[in-house]
Each structure stands twice: as C-alpha cells, then as structure tokens.
C-alpha cells in the first residue's frame, strides 16, 4: 500500500473524500481510517508504526495535532490537511508551525485534493508510470481552467 | 509528588522557571523534565503513564502539541502554557482549541505563574492547609498592586 | 455542591447545555445560573463568595470578562468557556490572557463538554469513584472514534 | 475632581503618563491610582462607587478587564486604553468588544493622550472655558503637523 | 439637538436602528443622516461644522473612516461604531487606532446600543434628570439578565 | 508636477524617503509635504483640490485614513502606503478596505518603493520615454537578484 | 484595448462581473479571460506579454498569486482584487505584500468596482473625455449616498 | 542532483543556511540559487524546467509566491518555507493556501531544517541507505531533547 489517510474524526470525512477522490483518479493504492491523536493515541501509534504505507496524510481541524502526532511515530513523509471551522487559523497554524526536527507538509485549508497530488508527486520521484498519470491529471486541470 | 512540569524543549526553560518559582512559594512538590510530544513521543507517553503526579503542566511554543499529548495519556488535569515566539497565535490556539473529550486547561502566553496557581487551586479543593497558603499568596499579590 | 456553572447571558445557553449534559453523564452535582460580570457585578460577587462550589465554570462571549471576574472573587478553580460570535478571537483572548496572579483555565471556543470533563478531572484527584466514571466516559468517547 | 485615572498595574505607568501629561496641559483636575480588576476587585468597586469623578479612564493590557469592570460599577463615562504587549489584539478586543448595555469608550493601543482629550471633549460639552482650552490644544497639534 | 447619528451608507441602517432605539428609550433628542467620509466629504464637513449637536455617533464598516473624519471637523465627542462584514478586524481597527490628537470613542462591532448609552453617559455628566433615566435603563437591563 | 507625496506625520518620513528615492531614480517630478487627514483636514482638502499633480501618494500608519481622504477629494489615482507599527493589520486594512466608489491603490507595508514604481507605471501609459526608464529600473533590480 | 481583466478561476466570475459592469458604465474597452498563475503559467505569461492592454486587473482568491504573476511579466500597471473565501486575510495579504520592485495596486476584498474605477483614473490622466465620464460616475455615486 | 534550493532574495539566506546545513548532515546532494518569482520570472521558469532535481525547496517572505511559482512549472514535489518579517501571516498564508491542483508542501516560519528533513523523507521512500541516515539524524535530535 502506498498511502494511509487518517481522519481525526468522522466530521473530517468531507475533506477526506477530496483526498481519496484524487487518489482514485491517480490510481494510487490507499487505505482510509479514523484515528484521533488525542482520543486514541495508542491506536494511532500502533497504526502508524505497523503501517507499510510510504506516505501518511492526516486530516484534522481545531488544534489539529494529528499530522504532527503521525510524524512523531514515523520517518516517512506526513502531509497535513487543516480542516475549516469557526477559527481556521487554529488548524492552519497547528499544522504548519511544527518544531524543527519533525516536519509536516502542510497544504491549504480543506484542500484534500492537494494532499493527494502532493503524495503522488512524492511517489512519482521513482515511478515513471505514476509521473505520466500525474502529468495527465494536472494537464486536465489546466485545460479545465482554459476552457473555463 | 503533586505536579509534573514538562517542557517541550530547553528553550521553554524561561517560562518553566516561572512555574517552579510559584510552586516553590506555594510549597507544592513537583518534578520538572524535558520531553517533546513530537521528538520523544514514547518517552513522553511512558513518563505520563507511570507518573503519580496529580496534575501535569505542559509548557510549549509553536504548534504546541505537548499539553494535548499529555492529556491524551492521562485522566488527570493537564494545564497548558503557550510560549511566545514570532506568531504567538500559534501556541495559544494549539493549546486552547482542543477537540471535545480531551480537555487542556490553557493559561496565558508565557504565564507560568498562573499555571502554578491553577494547580494549587485544584489541589486545594481537598487540602485546607494548601488553601490557606494559596490565600496568603494571592493576598500578597493584591497588596503588591495596592502598594504599586 | 461541586460545580457552579455561570452563563454571561441567555444567549450562552446553547454552550451551557453542553456543560450540563456532560456533568450529568459524569454524575457531578451542579447548579446553573445567569450572572453578568458587566451587568450584575454585585450579584456575581455575592454569588461567588457565598457559593460552596468546589469549581466554577464561566461561559461568555465577546470581551468575555466573566471567568476572570469569578476568579477575582475566589481561590477555587475557575474554568472559562469562550462563546463564538462574529470575531471569536475576542472571547478566546479575553479568557486566556489573564494577568499573572489570577488564573483562569481556558478551554476551546464553545467547548462546554471539555469544561465539564476538566472539572471532573479536578474533582477526581481525591475521588476514586469519580475517577472511575471519568475513565469510562473517556473510553466511550475513544471507542466512538474507533467505531466512527 | 473631574477624572479618575486607574492603571491595572505598575507596568501600565508608561501609558498612564501620557494620559496625565495631556490632562495637565488641558488643566483638568484628576487623580491617578493603581487598582486591578482581577487582583483587587473590591478595592476597585469601592474606589469607583465612592468616587465623585465625572469620568473614569482605565488603562490595562492583556485580557484588559479593567475598563469594563469600572463600567460595571458606574453610570458615568468610562474610557479604556489598551496597553501593548506580545499579542496586542488581546487588549484591543477585550476593551472594544463590551456586551450591549455596558459601554466602554475605547481609544487606540497605548494612546493615553487620546483618552485625555476624549475626557476633555466630554467635560467641555457644558464648559465653555474648557472648550476654549481644548480648541487651543488641538490647534497646536495641527500646527505641529503643518510645521512638521 | 443633542446627538447627530451619521451612517456611512444605507447598508449601515441595521446598526443605526440599534442606536436610535436606545436613544428613544433614553429620551435623547437626535437626528440621523447618511453621509460618507469618502463619497461625500464636503457634505460631511459642512454637516459636522454647522451641527449644534453635543455628540456625534459615526456608524461605518470596512475601512471605517467616518468616525475619524467627523472627529477631524469638531472638538465635540465622537463615538464610532464598527459595522460587521467579511473581515471585521478592518472596521474595528480603523476606528480604534486613531492617531494621537484626534480621539474617537470606539464601541464594539455592530454595538449601536452601547453608542447610545455612552452618549447618554456623556450628556448626563451635567444633567441629573438624564442620569436618572440612564440608571433606570441600565437597571432594567440588569434585571433582564437576572430574570434570564 | 507629476506626483504629490503626502505623509500623515513626521514619523512617516522613513517610508517617505523610499518613495522619493525611487521617484528620483525614475526622474519623476514630485513634491513632498506633511498633511494629516485627522489633524489638518482642511489643509489636506485644499492641498489636494488645488494640486495639479497627476497622481497622489499617501503614506500613513495606524487607522491610516490619509490615502482614503485624499481619494475623497480627487478623481486622480491615489496610492496608499501603510506604515508599520505595533499592530500592522490596522494600516494595511485601513488602506485596502475602501468602500466601493472611492478606490485607493494599496501597496505593501512600508513599501514606499513600490508606490513610486506604481506611479511611474501609471504615468508611462502615455509616456514612452518614462516607460524606457522604468524598464531599465526594473531590469537593474532583476539583475541585482540574479547577481545576489 | 485599454484593460485586460484576468480571473484566476471560474469561481472568481462573481467579482469579475463587478469589474466589467463598472468598466461598461465608464465606457472603457476591455477583454476578460480566465488564466491561472499556478495552473496555466505559460498561457498567462504569453497572454500578458502579447497584450496591448494599458492596464491589467487580476482577480483571485486564496494564495492569490495572479496579480503578482501578471506584474512579473509587464511594466504596465497591475490592479489586484482579492476574492473572499474562508480565511480572507490570505488573499488580502498575498496581493498587498508584494516585494519591493514589482508593485501591485491592491483594492479591497471582492471590490471589483474599485478596480475598474482605479483603472479609469489611471487612463484619465491623459484623457480629458474619460476624466469627464469618471467625474460623472463618481458624482452619481455621491448623490446616491445623499439620497440614501 | 536531488534537491534544488531557491531563495527569493539575498535576505532569505539566513533561512536558506538552515536548509543546506541539514541537507549536508543528511548527505543529500543539492544546489542553492537565488531566483525571484516576481523579479526574474523567466529565469525561474527555465531554472525549474531544466532542472533535474527530484525536489524543489522555495524560501521566501512577504507575499511569498516563489514556492507556488516553482510548483506551476514542475510536477515534482515543492516544499515552501515562509520567511518571517513584520506581518508573518503573509508568508505563511501565501504558501499554505495554494489553489486545488497545484500543491506546495508548507513547513513552519523560518523552519529551513524541516524543509530539508521533509525532502530527505521523500527521497528515502525508495532509498534504504538515506532512510538509515534519516533515522540517525532524527534519533540524535530526540536524544538532544532527552539530554536537554
């Protein structure tokens, strides 16, 4: 399996679907689960440690500790998607402002699609076939703009 | 031991000293250690799970996940102290905006003294002698204002 | 009585119900009243001074002075719940940024449930039976996430 | 006496001096004291209730509850001066965002001079002599700009 | 006439009504007009200079220059009411952060009622009868809270 | 004369110098004066109305009403330069968030150079010689980056 | 052609219509296209380089790089219109905070009308007939306020 | 070559050194250049298109368009490092809030080290030897915390 998508709670499913929809289009294998950094920390730790995923995507709102918590348990790339709420700066800053030594790759608020594309870009570094699909995907998007 | 004070990194020591100075004055037993939610997650988990402390105080800056991570490993009260930096709203929001189910008691930016007093207030609920010391402490502070 | 829940105005009832719903589940005795730091300061002062509550929870929006005003009249723990509105940073900062010497334990925006759990955690320091109920409560919540 | 200037703590003296310097120039009688909304609430209440001042000026930083607390004890005009710190939006919002029914007249961050002029403007409504001095004061300021 | 209420545009009428409703209850004479600091600057200047109002209330959103523009043309007190929109910090900061020398008394976002009460407080400094009505008004409000 | 540079106060001279330094390099005729929207509104009005400048540049901090006030008195382009202080969002939002009908062209915080280049770009629409100098100016800047 | 209006995506059409509606009223020739700084960078570059427009208007939300990207390819004036979304400070700051050397003239959030008027003001510097239409346009707007 | 580090200007070198220091320790091949999205857009485009780097790191402040501009010219992963200044939210939001379709992996303010580690994590997906060095690097960092 290539990507493990973890949602902080059921209410993050709306953004999670954007991730999986794009992963499907890019034909990237993935699994999607719910696991909370704060409410199920041990389950999350085991999930991450046992996982053979190449990349993790954490989707969370509020004091969005999930992507950082995933990153604390793995040396593989972790992408964080802040989920919108009443404050918005909370999840954006909780995911971007990681301390030196434990990076998270933050994408924009509710921007599940970009998390998927970013994962594809990482995997395509050594996968020519995926690189081709990725180019196609982005060219389609560019065309959609021009035909707007 | 009553209170376990955990700093996210050496650079938080300046705020940690405010905590311990007030705990000393209030004659509350404590231990102070450094443990990072992101860089030493297992050490932190074991530290919290094995601890017999009644209360935890987490001191951290940036995407300050430490207090929330402590709270994910214990049912005892966790007080969070956001540490100032270049953004400030990052640590304040990362500590206050915890998801429902796992509370952290946030105090103000760099406000280590209030974390100590809050811990004292919690312990004093069933400790008349500590309640007396606490009143004294706060009366002295009030006097200092009036004599300002 | 263990907890006195004070709402700054009728419009805070929506968040107040989250507090009392969780206190009910945790079987913690409480009373809930409306009292405004700005509109009924003396009533508030007398209410707090005469109260035998172990813990106070203040729920308020805008320049949310209520939790701080409660804290100015007691040496017992005060938990503050910021209520959402058009600005949100106003109530969050008015509750977290207390001056040194008079702590308030801030929880997240509209997060009445966390105020209740935090109160339970404080009371459970010396109450094994409540500690048991609290663990149950949090385990249920964790399960809900896993079954999500 | 016309104006009672209240500082939330000694550290607000720098801004308090801007207030009194302008009141001196405008020849307005005043008294200046330190009293904290949070640390000396009863002293503050008595101070305000017994005061024969026509106008109150509250100078405070952080979760600047002082002007609002003064306003809760009087029907006379209260001017609030937010004091700068590490966050700044905290004192500005804590003073401006008062609930309906209990107004505070907020001036800008650290802007003690404007608090004094505003007080003069209020008193000058029925005091032709003060109105004359006020005009002089503001004309001097305008000239200073033009001669800049 | 005692108070001149100026709205920056028709869209501010919703907040203007809060002002006049409270002025009506307090039996304060007023006139309400629309005049824009940016679109009708000369009309605004003449309006203010010719006015015999004791107090001005400016209601405006966005880069809310109206209250400051009024204040630039008079030595009488000017109260500013920021109107909510998509940003909110824009109107709050545009009204509070006036330069030294030209004060505006800022009240909270959309808080037309507080502008009216503040005007009443200013006028009541030398008007015992209005002071009585003002006390009644605020007592009613306090009661409403207690009966909440 | 082509450009009239107006500073809100002497303290804005630091940013004003960036404007005039770039105007000098671009060989654009200008005059620089101090005039405050709030403290010398009539002088400002006359200055703008009598001016034969093609473009106005207003430099101001805090509730930076100056550029908007200039724009209210002319149909020619007005460029606004927000000046930094303790809040920064105040001057940025006071200059950008103008109401529909009265535009100000906002540039970045303290970015006097961009105000000058923007003025040059406007004047160069019908001035081939200036367009040439402008290109040179920007090419030099690009080279400086490459030689960085 | 005088003005080239570029939208970052179809979803910016709502604001684009405000631009073209005002350009129509001012009888200014324009063309409107969709081109994304991020998704169609080369198309954008060619579009700008080949364009004979005197002025460019870029309309974009989020990390609104479009106006800056246009400015990087031309020495003619570029006006940027930030489009509202969930954060708003993102598009405002992405457009205003351009680096020294490459100016963008930022107008307010969603304020397409002001972009059009600003373009008219620039073109009117050397076009007396347009200046007349512009005055009429702004006088009508002022009247609308007075008749409000 | 594995990584191309691009600085938006000379003033970003301080943060660029954090990137290269960590890349050196991780023994990752890289090149570092200065190229501005706004001042040298074509040079930047050619640089990116011709580059055989597997990963790009863009370091920029203010309206930090650099990482997004790089991403618009490549299908390989782009990491963005916001550089601190007077506003800070400008560079953070300009880098995180990319539109759907063109991702940038944002790290924290001035956090050059995390950009380097994140690049290492991406390259280590298919490079066991680098994965080993990465683990060592992160273990050293964890030890440093524990020995703190």
């Amino acid at each position: 399996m290539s990507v493990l998508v973890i949602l902080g709670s059921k209410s993050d499913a709306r953004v999670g679907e954007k991730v999986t929809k794009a992963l499907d289009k890019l034909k990237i294998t993935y699994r999607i689960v719910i696991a909370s950094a704060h409410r199920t920390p041990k389950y999350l730790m085991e999930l991450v440690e046992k996982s053979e995923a190449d990349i993790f995507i954490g989707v969370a709102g509020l004091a969005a500790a999930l992507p950082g918590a995933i990153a604390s348990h793995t040396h593989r790339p972790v992408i964080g998607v802040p989920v919108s709420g009443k404050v918005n700066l909370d999840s954006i800053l909780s995911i971007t402002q990681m301390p030196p030594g434990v990076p998270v790759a933050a994408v924009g608020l509710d921007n599940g699609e970009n998390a998927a594309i970013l994962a594809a870009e990482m995997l395509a570094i050594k996968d020519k076939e995926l690189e081709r699909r990725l180019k196609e995907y982005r060219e389609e998007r560019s065309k959609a703009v021009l035909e707007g």
Side-chain angles (χ1 to χ4, degrees), chain A:
Chain A
M1 186 206 28
S2 307
V3 178
L4 180 56
V5 184
I6 307 178
L7 309 182
S9 79
K10 273 180 282 188
S11 59
D12 301 322
R14 175 181 51 88
V15 177
E17 277 166 32
K18 294 188 194 179
V19 180
T20 55
K21 195 179 150 193
L23 289 175
D24 279 334
K25 278 197 185 166
L26 288 156
K27 288 180 188 143
I28 292 174
T29 322
Y30 65 89
R31 192 158 75 96
I32 180 161
V33 295
I34 295 179
S36 164
H38 292 123
R39 285 169 291 201
T40 63
K42 279 193 189 165
Y43 170 66
L44 178 67
M45 184 181 73
E46 285 163 22
L47 190 72
V48 173
E49 289 187 345
K50 286 181 188 164
S51 173
E52 294 184 2
D54 293 316
I55 294 167
F56 297 86
I57 295 177
V59 179
L62 296 171
L66 179 65
I70 299 171
S72 75
H73 297 305
T74 182
H75 299 83
R76 298 191 199 128
V78 179
I79 299 167
V81 190
V83 173
S84 63
K86 286 173 187 148
V87 176
N88 291 333
L89 282 180
D90 52 4
S91 56
I92 293 175
L93 295 174
S94 297
I95 289 179
T96 53
Q97 288 292 81
M98 289 291 291
V102 187
V104 164
V107 296
L109 196 72
D110 291 341
N111 203 333
E113 182 184 356
N114 273 9
I117 301 175
L118 189 56
E121 291 179 353
M122 294 178 190
L123 293 169
I125 294 176
K126 302 263 164 96
D127 180 339
K128 289 290 168 195
E129 180 49 31
L130 175 55
E131 193 181 13
R132 200 190 47 71
R133 290 201 303 275
L134 181 62
K135 276 187 184 170
E136 259 179 44
Y137 182 96
R138 284 189 54 175
E139 269 156 30
E140 255 176 64
R141 272 215 145 262
S142 300
K143 251 190 234 164
V145 170
L146 291 177
E147 285 160 4

